[in-house]
Amino acid sequence: STNENCGEKTPAISHDCVGTCSGANRSCETDNDCFMAGTCGNGICKDGPKKDNTCQLSSQDCSEPATYYTCGNLTCSTTNLSTGCNGKNIGDVCETHPDLDYKYWLSNDSKWNTPSSLLINHQAPQVAATTCNEETNTCHMGSTNALNHITIGNVYEDGVDITRVQSYMAVLKFYAWADKDQMPIRDITIDWGDSPLSQYTDMKAKNHKDLCCSTNNSSDGCPNGDLNFGNIPEACTANYFQFTHIYRCFDKTSPGWSEIENACVFKPRVYVQDNWYWCNGEKYAGYDNKCKDTAGAGTQFGGKIIIKPQE
């Protein structure tokens, strides 16, 4: 988020709740620690800001909630933590988004509170095709209709098929990035069409773009000269995501069999989810849902992968 211009998010800090065995002067955290010495009880916070407070064993009573400091002003007027400009000098420029609510809370696990404004004013994650030059060993974003496309091998155009016999190792490549206010990328799922999904969940990935800013304080190299948090080196890498998968087709019993093509046919799809549960394809998954389970989400390969059985 652009609010990180004025300070890092402080994660939740766990502190132990320590008790005493009822049958011995022995510290414990669970009854298992009190073998032959009664039960564990009378919990006290061992350390942290709640030290010596009573607590419920096996709970988060002693934990420090995570916080996220926000800007609030176009320039940092003070470096005090309470204003969200810690780590910045007075007068340093920061970006403000007063409608965003970065409230963080703890329950069974850690969850972000999605700002209601992002349900209306949002920028869903973007996916774009990659094209590579084998002679120069360089890759960049496809020049024509690259947005909302993914690359298999070096093919991404709509209606261009890949045909092989019996087997094919598909090399999937794509750029993907979240909006500067909705970072990081938290989930990437690939539906290959013939096997269990490839899922990469609970990740905190940087934006993967064709171009990123060269430094944190200069517009040099920035996409369209736009120096914002989503483009700087701390949050952006000038690279693409790459995954591989082997397709096989032996006969009519193989996955993906098509009577029309008389072969196995596949159209892999990529799902990218940001920190506010938005998916590529301009779909909102919601807190307890994933992009793969959201109708209309994802980016599908523009052609078909056709694997014919060996004759």
Side-chain angles (χ1 to χ4, degrees), residues 3 58 63 95 105 109 122 126 135 142 150 182 189 197 211 218 225 229 233-234 243 259 264 274 289 305 307:
N3 285 295
S58 301
S63 296
E95 297 179 62
W105 76 94
D109 54 5
H122 71 278
Q126 301 293 304
E135 294 182 359
I150 57 177
Q182 296 169 229
T189 300
L197 304 177
L211 295 172
S218 170
F229 180 72
E234 290 179 349
F243 305 90
E259 293 292 345
C264 300
D274 68 18
N289 201 9
I305 299 175
I307 313 298

PDB file of all heavy atoms in Angstrom, residues 3 58 63 95 105 109 122 126 135 142 150 182 189 197 211 218 225 229 233-234 243 259 264 274 289 305 307:
ATOM      1  N   ASN A   3       0.447   3.648   1.853  1.00  0.00           N
ATOM      2  CA  ASN A   3       0.649   4.085   3.222  1.00  0.00           C
ATOM      3  C   ASN A   3       1.960   3.579   3.792  1.00  0.00           C
ATOM      4  O   ASN A   3       2.437   4.088   4.794  1.00  0.00           O
ATOM      5  CB  ASN A   3      -0.512   3.624   4.103  1.00  0.00           C
ATOM      6  CG  ASN A   3      -1.753   4.455   3.877  1.00  0.00           C
ATOM      7  OD1 ASN A   3      -1.772   5.639   4.158  1.00  0.00           O
ATOM      8  ND2 ASN A   3      -2.781   3.845   3.328  1.00  0.00           N
ATOM      9  N   SER A  58      -3.185 -21.526  26.341  1.00  0.00           N
ATOM     10  CA  SER A  58      -3.432 -21.889  24.936  1.00  0.00           C
ATOM     11  C   SER A  58      -4.339 -20.871  24.254  1.00  0.00           C
ATOM     12  O   SER A  58      -5.222 -21.207  23.475  1.00  0.00           O
ATOM     13  CB  SER A  58      -4.044 -23.297  24.830  1.00  0.00           C
ATOM     14  OG  SER A  58      -3.176 -24.253  25.400  1.00  0.00           O
ATOM     15  N   SER A  63      -0.854 -11.781  23.406  1.00  0.00           N
ATOM     16  CA  SER A  63      -0.312 -11.320  22.130  1.00  0.00           C
ATOM     17  C   SER A  63      -0.541  -9.830  21.928  1.00  0.00           C
ATOM     18  O   SER A  63      -1.491  -9.244  22.444  1.00  0.00           O
ATOM     19  CB  SER A  63      -0.953 -12.096  20.972  1.00  0.00           C
ATOM     20  OG  SER A  63      -0.618 -13.463  21.054  1.00  0.00           O
ATOM     21  N   GLU A  95       1.713   9.393   0.207  1.00  0.00           N
ATOM     22  CA  GLU A  95       0.425   9.397  -0.464  1.00  0.00           C
ATOM     23  C   GLU A  95      -0.672   9.097   0.537  1.00  0.00           C
ATOM     24  O   GLU A  95      -0.498   8.260   1.419  1.00  0.00           O
ATOM     25  CB  GLU A  95       0.413   8.368  -1.593  1.00  0.00           C
ATOM     26  CG  GLU A  95       1.416   8.669  -2.676  1.00  0.00           C
ATOM     27  CD  GLU A  95       1.389   7.625  -3.761  1.00  0.00           C
ATOM     28  OE1 GLU A  95       0.349   7.477  -4.420  1.00  0.00           O
ATOM     29  OE2 GLU A  95       2.398   6.938  -3.933  1.00  0.00           O
ATOM     30  N   TRP A 105      -7.078  -7.338  12.957  1.00  0.00           N
ATOM     31  CA  TRP A 105      -7.557  -7.919  14.192  1.00  0.00           C
ATOM     32  C   TRP A 105      -7.175  -9.396  14.266  1.00  0.00           C
ATOM     33  O   TRP A 105      -6.781 -10.001  13.281  1.00  0.00           O
ATOM     34  CB  TRP A 105      -9.071  -7.742  14.341  1.00  0.00           C
ATOM     35  CG  TRP A 105      -9.898  -8.666  13.502  1.00  0.00           C
ATOM     36  CD1 TRP A 105     -10.429  -9.855  13.858  1.00  0.00           C
ATOM     37  CD2 TRP A 105     -10.293  -8.450  12.135  1.00  0.00           C
ATOM     38  NE1 TRP A 105     -11.134 -10.392  12.825  1.00  0.00           N
ATOM     39  CE2 TRP A 105     -11.059  -9.565  11.754  1.00  0.00           C
ATOM     40  CE3 TRP A 105     -10.064  -7.423  11.212  1.00  0.00           C
ATOM     41  CZ2 TRP A 105     -11.605  -9.693  10.492  1.00  0.00           C
ATOM     42  CZ3 TRP A 105     -10.602  -7.553   9.951  1.00  0.00           C
ATOM     43  CH2 TRP A 105     -11.368  -8.666   9.608  1.00  0.00           C
ATOM     44  N   ASP A 109      -7.299 -16.721  13.416  1.00  0.00           N
ATOM     45  CA  ASP A 109      -6.099 -16.406  12.658  1.00  0.00           C
ATOM     46  C   ASP A 109      -6.132 -14.922  12.336  1.00  0.00           C
ATOM     47  O   ASP A 109      -7.005 -14.194  12.788  1.00  0.00           O
ATOM     48  CB  ASP A 109      -6.007 -17.243  11.370  1.00  0.00           C
ATOM     49  CG  ASP A 109      -7.250 -17.126  10.505  1.00  0.00           C
ATOM     50  OD1 ASP A 109      -8.136 -16.312  10.861  1.00  0.00           O
ATOM     51  OD2 ASP A 109      -7.335 -17.822   9.487  1.00  0.00           O
ATOM     52  N   HIS A 122     -11.900   0.065  -7.034  1.00  0.00           N
ATOM     53  CA  HIS A 122     -10.870  -0.960  -6.912  1.00  0.00           C
ATOM     54  C   HIS A 122     -10.105  -1.080  -8.219  1.00  0.00           C
ATOM     55  O   HIS A 122     -10.508  -0.557  -9.253  1.00  0.00           O
ATOM     56  CB  HIS A 122     -11.499  -2.309  -6.580  1.00  0.00           C
ATOM     57  CG  HIS A 122     -12.246  -2.892  -7.751  1.00  0.00           C
ATOM     58  ND1 HIS A 122     -13.534  -2.517  -8.056  1.00  0.00           N
ATOM     59  CD2 HIS A 122     -11.866  -3.778  -8.719  1.00  0.00           C
ATOM     60  CE1 HIS A 122     -13.921  -3.152  -9.153  1.00  0.00           C
ATOM     61  NE2 HIS A 122     -12.923  -3.914  -9.587  1.00  0.00           N
ATOM     62  N   GLN A 126      -3.893  -7.668 -12.305  1.00  0.00           N
ATOM     63  CA  GLN A 126      -3.739  -7.744 -13.749  1.00  0.00           C
ATOM     64  C   GLN A 126      -2.794  -8.886 -14.112  1.00  0.00           C
ATOM     65  O   GLN A 126      -1.824  -9.161 -13.399  1.00  0.00           O
ATOM     66  CB  GLN A 126      -3.189  -6.432 -14.298  1.00  0.00           C
ATOM     67  CG  GLN A 126      -4.054  -5.220 -14.010  1.00  0.00           C
ATOM     68  CD  GLN A 126      -5.374  -5.277 -14.742  1.00  0.00           C
ATOM     69  OE1 GLN A 126      -5.425  -5.402 -15.966  1.00  0.00           O
ATOM     70  NE2 GLN A 126      -6.474  -5.184 -13.994  1.00  0.00           N
ATOM     71  N   GLU A 135      17.110 -15.827 -29.219  1.00  0.00           N
ATOM     72  CA  GLU A 135      18.428 -15.392 -29.685  1.00  0.00           C
ATOM     73  C   GLU A 135      19.092 -14.443 -28.695  1.00  0.00           C
ATOM     74  O   GLU A 135      20.296 -14.524 -28.449  1.00  0.00           O
ATOM     75  CB  GLU A 135      18.305 -14.729 -31.055  1.00  0.00           C
ATOM     76  CG  GLU A 135      17.872 -15.682 -32.171  1.00  0.00           C
ATOM     77  CD  GLU A 135      17.819 -14.977 -33.521  1.00  0.00           C
ATOM     78  OE1 GLU A 135      18.109 -13.755 -33.568  1.00  0.00           O
ATOM     79  OE2 GLU A 135      17.507 -15.657 -34.521  1.00  0.00           O
ATOM     80  N   GLY A 142       4.097  -9.192 -24.092  1.00  0.00           N
ATOM     81  CA  GLY A 142       3.688  -9.303 -25.474  1.00  0.00           C
ATOM     82  C   GLY A 142       3.241  -7.963 -26.027  1.00  0.00           C
ATOM     83  O   GLY A 142       2.640  -7.150 -25.313  1.00  0.00           O
ATOM     84  N   ILE A 150      -2.207 -15.299 -21.029  1.00  0.00           N
ATOM     85  CA  ILE A 150      -1.081 -16.029 -20.463  1.00  0.00           C
ATOM     86  C   ILE A 150      -0.352 -16.735 -21.602  1.00  0.00           C
ATOM     87  O   ILE A 150      -0.926 -16.977 -22.667  1.00  0.00           O
ATOM     88  CB  ILE A 150      -1.534 -17.047 -19.396  1.00  0.00           C
ATOM     89  CG1 ILE A 150      -2.561 -18.026 -19.972  1.00  0.00           C
ATOM     90  CG2 ILE A 150      -2.092 -16.333 -18.174  1.00  0.00           C
ATOM     91  CD1 ILE A 150      -3.007 -19.117 -19.004  1.00  0.00           C
ATOM     92  N   GLN A 182      -3.582  -2.474  -2.941  1.00  0.00           N
ATOM     93  CA  GLN A 182      -4.187  -3.777  -2.643  1.00  0.00           C
ATOM     94  C   GLN A 182      -3.155  -4.905  -2.620  1.00  0.00           C
ATOM     95  O   GLN A 182      -3.499  -6.076  -2.700  1.00  0.00           O
ATOM     96  CB  GLN A 182      -5.277  -4.085  -3.682  1.00  0.00           C
ATOM     97  CG  GLN A 182      -6.438  -3.103  -3.613  1.00  0.00           C
ATOM     98  CD  GLN A 182      -7.385  -3.227  -4.791  1.00  0.00           C
ATOM     99  OE1 GLN A 182      -7.749  -2.246  -5.420  1.00  0.00           O
ATOM    100  NE2 GLN A 182      -7.812  -4.436  -5.104  1.00  0.00           N
ATOM    101  N   THR A 189      -3.253 -19.707  -8.280  1.00  0.00           N
ATOM    102  CA  THR A 189      -3.756 -21.050  -8.515  1.00  0.00           C
ATOM    103  C   THR A 189      -3.786 -21.315 -10.019  1.00  0.00           C
ATOM    104  O   THR A 189      -4.209 -20.453 -10.786  1.00  0.00           O
ATOM    105  CB  THR A 189      -5.163 -21.239  -7.924  1.00  0.00           C
ATOM    106  OG1 THR A 189      -5.115 -21.023  -6.508  1.00  0.00           O
ATOM    107  CG2 THR A 189      -5.698 -22.637  -8.203  1.00  0.00           C
ATOM    108  N   LEU A 197      -5.321 -29.066  -8.828  1.00  0.00           N
ATOM    109  CA  LEU A 197      -4.848 -27.712  -9.076  1.00  0.00           C
ATOM    110  C   LEU A 197      -3.464 -27.496  -8.476  1.00  0.00           C
ATOM    111  O   LEU A 197      -3.116 -28.088  -7.447  1.00  0.00           O
ATOM    112  CB  LEU A 197      -5.818 -26.705  -8.469  1.00  0.00           C
ATOM    113  CG  LEU A 197      -7.283 -26.788  -8.907  1.00  0.00           C
ATOM    114  CD1 LEU A 197      -8.099 -25.761  -8.150  1.00  0.00           C
ATOM    115  CD2 LEU A 197      -7.418 -26.583 -10.396  1.00  0.00           C
ATOM    116  N   LEU A 211       8.390  -3.967 -16.446  1.00  0.00           N
ATOM    117  CA  LEU A 211       9.277  -2.899 -16.005  1.00  0.00           C
ATOM    118  C   LEU A 211       8.951  -2.519 -14.571  1.00  0.00           C
ATOM    119  O   LEU A 211       7.789  -2.507 -14.171  1.00  0.00           O
ATOM    120  CB  LEU A 211       9.132  -1.660 -16.900  1.00  0.00           C
ATOM    121  CG  LEU A 211       9.549  -1.787 -18.364  1.00  0.00           C
ATOM    122  CD1 LEU A 211       9.146  -0.521 -19.117  1.00  0.00           C
ATOM    123  CD2 LEU A 211      11.052  -2.016 -18.483  1.00  0.00           C
ATOM    124  N   SER A 218      13.200   7.583  -7.448  1.00  0.00           N
ATOM    125  CA  SER A 218      13.373   8.174  -8.764  1.00  0.00           C
ATOM    126  C   SER A 218      12.419   7.501  -9.735  1.00  0.00           C
ATOM    127  O   SER A 218      12.150   6.301  -9.637  1.00  0.00           O
ATOM    128  CB  SER A 218      14.811   7.998  -9.247  1.00  0.00           C
ATOM    129  OG  SER A 218      14.927   8.372 -10.613  1.00  0.00           O
ATOM    130  N   GLY A 225       6.600   6.226 -16.205  1.00  0.00           N
ATOM    131  CA  GLY A 225       7.135   7.243 -15.307  1.00  0.00           C
ATOM    132  C   GLY A 225       6.403   7.347 -13.993  1.00  0.00           C
ATOM    133  O   GLY A 225       6.530   8.342 -13.271  1.00  0.00           O
ATOM    134  N   PHE A 229       4.258   2.946  -4.930  1.00  0.00           N
ATOM    135  CA  PHE A 229       4.748   1.796  -4.173  1.00  0.00           C
ATOM    136  C   PHE A 229       4.693   0.499  -4.974  1.00  0.00           C
ATOM    137  O   PHE A 229       5.557  -0.363  -4.851  1.00  0.00           O
ATOM    138  CB  PHE A 229       3.925   1.636  -2.883  1.00  0.00           C
ATOM    139  CG  PHE A 229       4.372   0.474  -2.043  1.00  0.00           C
ATOM    140  CD1 PHE A 229       5.559   0.529  -1.350  1.00  0.00           C
ATOM    141  CD2 PHE A 229       3.600  -0.683  -1.964  1.00  0.00           C
ATOM    142  CE1 PHE A 229       5.987  -0.548  -0.590  1.00  0.00           C
ATOM    143  CE2 PHE A 229       4.022  -1.761  -1.204  1.00  0.00           C
ATOM    144  CZ  PHE A 229       5.218  -1.694  -0.511  1.00  0.00           C
ATOM    145  N   PRO A 233      11.378  -1.070  -6.275  1.00  0.00           N
ATOM    146  CA  PRO A 233      12.046  -2.369  -6.099  1.00  0.00           C
ATOM    147  C   PRO A 233      11.597  -3.159  -4.877  1.00  0.00           C
ATOM    148  O   PRO A 233      11.613  -4.393  -4.891  1.00  0.00           O
ATOM    149  CB  PRO A 233      13.523  -1.986  -5.998  1.00  0.00           C
ATOM    150  CG  PRO A 233      13.631  -0.719  -6.772  1.00  0.00           C
ATOM    151  CD  PRO A 233      12.351   0.016  -6.516  1.00  0.00           C
ATOM    152  N   GLU A 234      11.214  -2.468  -3.801  1.00  0.00           N
ATOM    153  CA  GLU A 234      10.769  -3.185  -2.606  1.00  0.00           C
ATOM    154  C   GLU A 234       9.491  -3.973  -2.852  1.00  0.00           C
ATOM    155  O   GLU A 234       9.198  -4.932  -2.126  1.00  0.00           O
ATOM    156  CB  GLU A 234      10.532  -2.198  -1.462  1.00  0.00           C
ATOM    157  CG  GLU A 234      11.810  -1.581  -0.919  1.00  0.00           C
ATOM    158  CD  GLU A 234      11.534  -0.598   0.203  1.00  0.00           C
ATOM    159  OE1 GLU A 234      10.348  -0.252   0.419  1.00  0.00           O
ATOM    160  OE2 GLU A 234      12.495  -0.182   0.847  1.00  0.00           O
ATOM    161  N   PHE A 243       5.750 -21.649 -14.508  1.00  0.00           N
ATOM    162  CA  PHE A 243       5.398 -22.954 -13.972  1.00  0.00           C
ATOM    163  C   PHE A 243       5.411 -23.967 -15.118  1.00  0.00           C
ATOM    164  O   PHE A 243       5.179 -23.606 -16.275  1.00  0.00           O
ATOM    165  CB  PHE A 243       4.007 -22.922 -13.327  1.00  0.00           C
ATOM    166  CG  PHE A 243       3.848 -21.865 -12.267  1.00  0.00           C
ATOM    167  CD1 PHE A 243       3.396 -20.591 -12.602  1.00  0.00           C
ATOM    168  CD2 PHE A 243       4.164 -22.131 -10.943  1.00  0.00           C
ATOM    169  CE1 PHE A 243       3.258 -19.599 -11.639  1.00  0.00           C
ATOM    170  CE2 PHE A 243       4.025 -21.149  -9.974  1.00  0.00           C
ATOM    171  CZ  PHE A 243       3.574 -19.881 -10.322  1.00  0.00           C
ATOM    172  N   GLU A 259     -14.120 -35.978 -28.216  1.00  0.00           N
ATOM    173  CA  GLU A 259     -14.553 -36.766 -29.372  1.00  0.00           C
ATOM    174  C   GLU A 259     -14.477 -35.929 -30.650  1.00  0.00           C
ATOM    175  O   GLU A 259     -14.276 -36.459 -31.739  1.00  0.00           O
ATOM    176  CB  GLU A 259     -15.985 -37.267 -29.154  1.00  0.00           C
ATOM    177  CG  GLU A 259     -16.123 -38.293 -28.033  1.00  0.00           C
ATOM    178  CD  GLU A 259     -15.453 -39.620 -28.374  1.00  0.00           C
ATOM    179  OE1 GLU A 259     -15.137 -39.845 -29.567  1.00  0.00           O
ATOM    180  OE2 GLU A 259     -15.242 -40.427 -27.447  1.00  0.00           O
ATOM    181  N   CYS A 264      -6.845 -35.323 -26.674  1.00  0.00           N
ATOM    182  CA  CYS A 264      -7.037 -34.677 -25.376  1.00  0.00           C
ATOM    183  C   CYS A 264      -6.830 -33.174 -25.559  1.00  0.00           C
ATOM    184  O   CYS A 264      -5.848 -32.750 -26.180  1.00  0.00           O
ATOM    185  CB  CYS A 264      -6.052 -35.224 -24.349  1.00  0.00           C
ATOM    186  SG  CYS A 264      -6.199 -37.013 -24.073  1.00  0.00           S
ATOM    187  N   ASP A 274      -5.442 -10.797  -4.807  1.00  0.00           N
ATOM    188  CA  ASP A 274      -4.659  -9.801  -4.083  1.00  0.00           C
ATOM    189  C   ASP A 274      -5.023  -9.789  -2.599  1.00  0.00           C
ATOM    190  O   ASP A 274      -5.793 -10.635  -2.120  1.00  0.00           O
ATOM    191  CB  ASP A 274      -4.812  -8.415  -4.727  1.00  0.00           C
ATOM    192  CG  ASP A 274      -6.212  -7.821  -4.579  1.00  0.00           C
ATOM    193  OD1 ASP A 274      -6.990  -8.278  -3.707  1.00  0.00           O
ATOM    194  OD2 ASP A 274      -6.554  -6.893  -5.343  1.00  0.00           O
ATOM    195  N   ASN A 289     -13.442 -16.950   0.499  1.00  0.00           N
ATOM    196  CA  ASN A 289     -13.539 -17.625  -0.789  1.00  0.00           C
ATOM    197  C   ASN A 289     -12.230 -17.461  -1.545  1.00  0.00           C
ATOM    198  O   ASN A 289     -11.391 -16.640  -1.198  1.00  0.00           O
ATOM    199  CB  ASN A 289     -14.695 -17.032  -1.604  1.00  0.00           C
ATOM    200  CG  ASN A 289     -15.183 -17.982  -2.680  1.00  0.00           C
ATOM    201  OD1 ASN A 289     -14.788 -19.140  -2.736  1.00  0.00           O
ATOM    202  ND2 ASN A 289     -16.037 -17.488  -3.550  1.00  0.00           N
ATOM    203  N   ILE A 305      -4.481 -26.545 -26.088  1.00  0.00           N
ATOM    204  CA  ILE A 305      -3.373 -27.496 -26.105  1.00  0.00           C
ATOM    205  C   ILE A 305      -3.969 -28.837 -26.497  1.00  0.00           C
ATOM    206  O   ILE A 305      -4.790 -29.407 -25.768  1.00  0.00           O
ATOM    207  CB  ILE A 305      -2.682 -27.582 -24.738  1.00  0.00           C
ATOM    208  CG1 ILE A 305      -2.108 -26.213 -24.351  1.00  0.00           C
ATOM    209  CG2 ILE A 305      -1.576 -28.626 -24.757  1.00  0.00           C
ATOM    210  CD1 ILE A 305      -1.508 -26.177 -22.962  1.00  0.00           C
ATOM    211  N   ILE A 307      -3.348 -32.714 -27.463  1.00  0.00           N
ATOM    212  CA  ILE A 307      -2.397 -33.831 -27.374  1.00  0.00           C
ATOM    213  C   ILE A 307      -3.052 -35.045 -28.026  1.00  0.00           C
ATOM    214  O   ILE A 307      -4.067 -35.566 -27.545  1.00  0.00           O
ATOM    215  CB  ILE A 307      -2.022 -34.167 -25.918  1.00  0.00           C
ATOM    216  CG1 ILE A 307      -1.670 -32.880 -25.158  1.00  0.00           C
ATOM    217  CG2 ILE A 307      -0.864 -35.157 -25.880  1.00  0.00           C
ATOM    218  CD1 ILE A 307      -0.476 -32.140 -25.703  1.00  0.00           C
TER     219      ILE A 307
END
